[in-house]
């Protein structure tokens, strides 16, 4: 070997280190993300343009300035990801951006009917919340460089989640809205702490189950074809069943209670691989729900509205099926391809911007449009599950699975309620619905997905310890 | 109101664009759905599979010896059965699909190769981490180029050895030829 060659090869040591980083394919991933992101932002702008064309017949530049805030915020997130999580999944941010932007366009469309403007306009507030949420996501990415630090705060996360869940019941700040007491009033705006509690609960369940799953999965008696746990190991499931039931009874929120309990069941199932947990849990929950529907008036009315919404007496009753039926009429009015953005009458349904945003979009974009939303959610959830599947450490696996399942379950509860598959409950459609707390929590979930997927791709294939 | 036709067309175009976006996403995900694309190896003319010394029946077809230019000493370290097929020893015997660890604490472990570069070093951002006192932070790298695997030494302190010879510039790694980093030896296998 001649020495000049050696020098040429050996001297630029830092260059070769630089090339190591270039060797992986993050730049390709990030460029893909950028292209998809720009496409999503363009579609968002197009949606606002269509709304204006149909409703105003002129082009008003102000809303475009507003949605450009979303564009700028997601581009900032994209740049952050390039530097701190270059191997992260490239699909997640574009999907979230498109959902968020479609939500803003539809909210703006309803603002135009009810003629609200300035800070009163829900769309403007939604844009500000979006920007805040994305800034928070950037902070999460910057401060949580390794998701495993969250494992240290397992029990703190659990306690915080509990506190957040109970906050709406506190005397001064708690606030009931639309029957459910899930809000806290913070002066200028109100906040739904349960949305943040969702993430904390996922962290807590993941940490708790990673530590304790052996006793939950190893011992037990075999009965029929399933192996059932011991009585004393039933503790945690009973605790969370009680928690879910108390949310149901005291906060009068069927959807949230279903969401938390479902999240717990799936995570315990994933951790232990025992179907019996799911059977026990579902049995308990159904028993609780049936008892509640018999004894609690508001749950009972939800069931009644669900089963016989078109009964005139029920349609006119106090807790009527009016909203559900109006939503169904709206969807029917939309038909296959919708009335077109800005050409339907989604404002007839109560809460068209928050709880019924999917109904509003369904009316104006039709079944074809609803399926776009469902496909976007499906892709997002599939990415989350894929991250969980590819993960190497149990905590990361559990966390990704839990968060994506929570997202999926929430979408099911919302859209299932609107389309009368299950009783209607007041949850928000992730990213779409007007509401700051929901946006904050879902963009934090996006940040966690990005962090988890980056760590997974970065992990060595094999570690040899001498 | 703009005229009905414009709105109708724009409405349908918007739905099409939305679906186009969904299909773009799914297209971007295709490798996840259908697996990574298989690299076709351009070896139409030569029959060069199976020179694995651990497989009992070497292919009788003698291929034209394709001398690996950077690697004149391969024959020296050949194992017994391989030496009986001299033409194949030096030639690139089909693209390697796995990296096998032959000595060291993890001897016998295989790592599948899919054409992506593989970095070896003590640092945890390497694809293959070796934690012993011989390995440098970023020690070596395997790169797949023009149908062959190249071994680059990344200015390591204790060197990377192909067939017991320390390498300087990047070299082609023939299949079934040991290269050593510290106390760990590897071979590429088909």
């Amino acid at each position: 070997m001649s020495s000049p060659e050696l020098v040429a090869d050996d001297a630029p040591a830092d260059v070769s280190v630089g090339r190591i980083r270039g060797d992986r394919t993050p730049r390709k991933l990030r460029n893909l993300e950028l292209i998809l992101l720009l496409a999503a932002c363009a579609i968002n702008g197009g949606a606002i343009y269509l709304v204006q064309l149909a409703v105003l017949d002129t082009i008003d530049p102000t809303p475009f300035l507003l949605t450009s805030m979303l564009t700028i915020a997601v581009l900032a997130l994209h740049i952050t990801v390039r530097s701190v999580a270059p191997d992260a999944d490239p699909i997640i941010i574009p999907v979230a951006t498109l959902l968020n932007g479609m939500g803003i366009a539809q909210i703006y469309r309803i603002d135009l009917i009810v003629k609200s403007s300035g800070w009163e306009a829900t769309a403007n507030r939604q844009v500000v919340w979006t920007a805040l949420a994305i800034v928070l996501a950037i902070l999460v990415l910057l401060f949580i460089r390794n998701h495993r630090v969250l494992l240290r705060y397992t029990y703190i996360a659990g306690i915080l989640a509990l506190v957040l869940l109970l906050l709406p019941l506190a005397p001064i700040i708690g606030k009931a809205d639309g029957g459910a007491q899930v809000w806290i009033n913070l002066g200028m705006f109100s906040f739904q702490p349960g949305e943040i509690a969702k993430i904390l609960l996922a962290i807590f369940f993941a940490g708790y189950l990673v530590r304790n799953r052996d006793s939950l999965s190893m011992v037990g008696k075999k009965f029929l074809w399933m192996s059932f746990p011991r009585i004393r190991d039933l503790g945690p499931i009973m605790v969370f069943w009680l928690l879910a039931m108390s949310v149901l009874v005291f906060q009068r929120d069927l959807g949230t209670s279903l969401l938390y309990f479902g999240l717990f069941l799936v995570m315990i199932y994933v951790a232990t691989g025992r179907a019996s947990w799911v059977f026990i849990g579902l049995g308990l929950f159904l028993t609780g729900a049936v008892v509640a529907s018999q004894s609690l008036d508001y749950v009972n009315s939800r069931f009644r509205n669900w089963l016989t919404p078109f009964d005139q007496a029920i349609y006119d009753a106090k807790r009527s099926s009016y909203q559900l039926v109006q939503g169904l009429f709206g969807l029917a009015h939309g038909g296959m391809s919708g009335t077109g953005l800005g050409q339907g009458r989604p404002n007839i349904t109560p809460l068209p911007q928050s709880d019924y945003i999917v109904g509003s979009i369904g009316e104006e974009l039709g079944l074809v449009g609803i399926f776009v939303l469902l496909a976007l959610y499906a892709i997002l959830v599939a990415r989350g599950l894929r991250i969980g599947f590819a993960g190497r450490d149990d905590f990361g696996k559990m966390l990704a699975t839990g968060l994506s399942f929570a997202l999926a379950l929430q979408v099911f509860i919302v859209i299932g309620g609107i389309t009368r598959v299950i009783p209607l409950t007041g949850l928000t459609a992730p990213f779409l619905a007007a509401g700051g707390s929901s946006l904050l929590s879902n963009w934090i979930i996006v940040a966690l997905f990005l962090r988890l997927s980056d760590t997974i791709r970065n992990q060595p294939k094999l570690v040899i310890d001498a | 109101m703009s005229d009905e036709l414009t709105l109708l067309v724009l409405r349908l175009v918007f739905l099409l664009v939305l679906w186009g976006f969904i299909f773009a996403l799914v297209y971007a995900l295709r490798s996840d759905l259908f697996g990574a694309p298989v690299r076709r190896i351009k070896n139409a003319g030569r029959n060069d599979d199976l020179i694995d010394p651990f497989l009992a029946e070497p292919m009788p077809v003698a291929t034209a010896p394709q001398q690996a230019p950077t690697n004149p000493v391969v024959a020296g370290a050949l194992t017994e059965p391989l030496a009986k097929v001299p033409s194949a020893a030096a030639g690139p015997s089909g693209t390697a699909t796995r990296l096998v660890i032959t000595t060291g604490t993890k001897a016998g472990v295989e790592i599948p190769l899919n054409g992506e570069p593989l970095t070896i070093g003590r640092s945890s951002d390497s694809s293959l981490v070796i934690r012993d006192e011989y390995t440098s932070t970023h020690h070596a790298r395997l790169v797949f180029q023009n149908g062959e695997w190249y071994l680059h030494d990344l200015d390591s302190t204790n060197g990377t050895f192909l067939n017991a010879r320390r390498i300087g510039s990047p070299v082609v790694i023939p299949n079934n030829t040991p290269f050593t980093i510290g106390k760990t030896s590897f071979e590429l296998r088909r």
Side-chain angles (χ1 to χ4, degrees), chain A residues 168-250:
Chain A
L169 295 175
I172 300 163
I173 52 174
K175 182 181 134 193
D177 195 356
Q181 186 142 19
V182 291
W183 297 85
I184 53 171
N185 202 350
L186 294 176
M188 275 180 69
F189 56 91
S190 48
F191 197 78
Q192 213 171 335
E195 287 282 348
I196 304 291
K198 181 172 72 179
I199 301 174
L200 291 173
L201 277 181
I203 294 173
F204 169 69
F205 290 154
Y208 173 79
L209 290 170
V210 163
R211 289 193 175 91
N212 300 308
R213 66 167 162 194
D214 284 351
S215 68
L216 297 177
S217 66
M218 298 293 187
V219 286
K221 272 213 174 96
K222 206 163 159 79
F223 176 68
L224 295 179
W225 70 97
M226 281 181 298
S227 148
F228 281 91
R230 294 177 301 186
I231 299 290
R232 68 178 110 155
D233 291 328
L234 285 175
I237 199 169
M238 293 311 290
V239 168
F240 277 97
W241 179 74
L242 283 176
L243 184 75
M245 284 301 135
S246 62
V247 168
L248 184 66
V249 173
F250 296 114

Side-chain angles (χ1 to χ4, degrees), chain A residues 248-249 252 291-305 318-319:
Chain A
L248 184 66
V249 173
R252 322 174 121 240
V291 170
S293 73
Q294 296 306 314
S295 53
L296 293 171
D297 187 31
Y298 87 98
V299 183
N300 187 16
S301 64
R302 292 268 159 121
F303 272 84
R304 194 192 58 203
N305 291 348
K318 184 158 167 277
R319 279 188 246 268

Side-chain angles (χ1 to χ4, degrees), chain A residues 96-151:
Chain A
T97 305
L98 184 58
L99 282 170
N100 201 334
M102 298 259 295
I104 290 174
Q106 191 64 27
I107 291 165
Y108 167 66
R109 184 259 173 286
I110 289 159
D111 278 344
L112 284 180
I113 310 180
V114 297
K115 300 213 169 27
S116 53
S117 60
W119 194 238
E120 283 300 303
T122 321
N124 297 354
R125 267 180 291 161
Q126 180 81 344
V127 169
V128 173
W129 274 115
T130 303
L132 271 179
I134 295 176
V135 167
L136 201 61
I138 291 175
L139 290 180
V140 167
L141 271 177
L142 287 176
F143 284 105
I144 302 179
R145 289 305 179 94
N146 182 346
H147 64 270
R148 269 161 290 192
V149 298
L150 296 175
L151 183 59

Side-chain angles (χ1 to χ4, degrees), chain B residues 47-143:
Chain B
N47 186 348
D48 52 7
D49 38 5
L50 202 70
I51 326 291
D52 194 322
F54 295 96
L55 288 176
E57 29 169 38
M59 292 292 275
V61 184
T63 55
Q66 302 209 333
Q67 200 64 34
T70 44
N71 193 30
V73 284
V74 178
L78 282 177
T79 47
E80 196 70 38
L82 193 55
K84 287 173 185 160
V85 194
S87 63
S93 44
T95 308
T97 55
R98 58 207 168 101
L99 178 71
V100 182
I101 299 171
T102 49
T103 62
T105 48
K106 285 263 163 86
V109 174
E110 289 186 6
I111 300 164
L113 299 169
N114 55 1
E116 279 181 20
L118 185 93
T119 54
I120 305 176
R122 210 175 52 221
S123 122
S124 56
D125 64 356
S126 317
S127 3
L128 178 58
V129 178
I130 306 179
R131 294 206 189 102
D132 61 16
E133 53 269 46
Y134 306 100
T135 312
S136 301
T137 316
H138 297 112
H139 196 110
R141 181 170 42 151
L142 297 179
V143 185

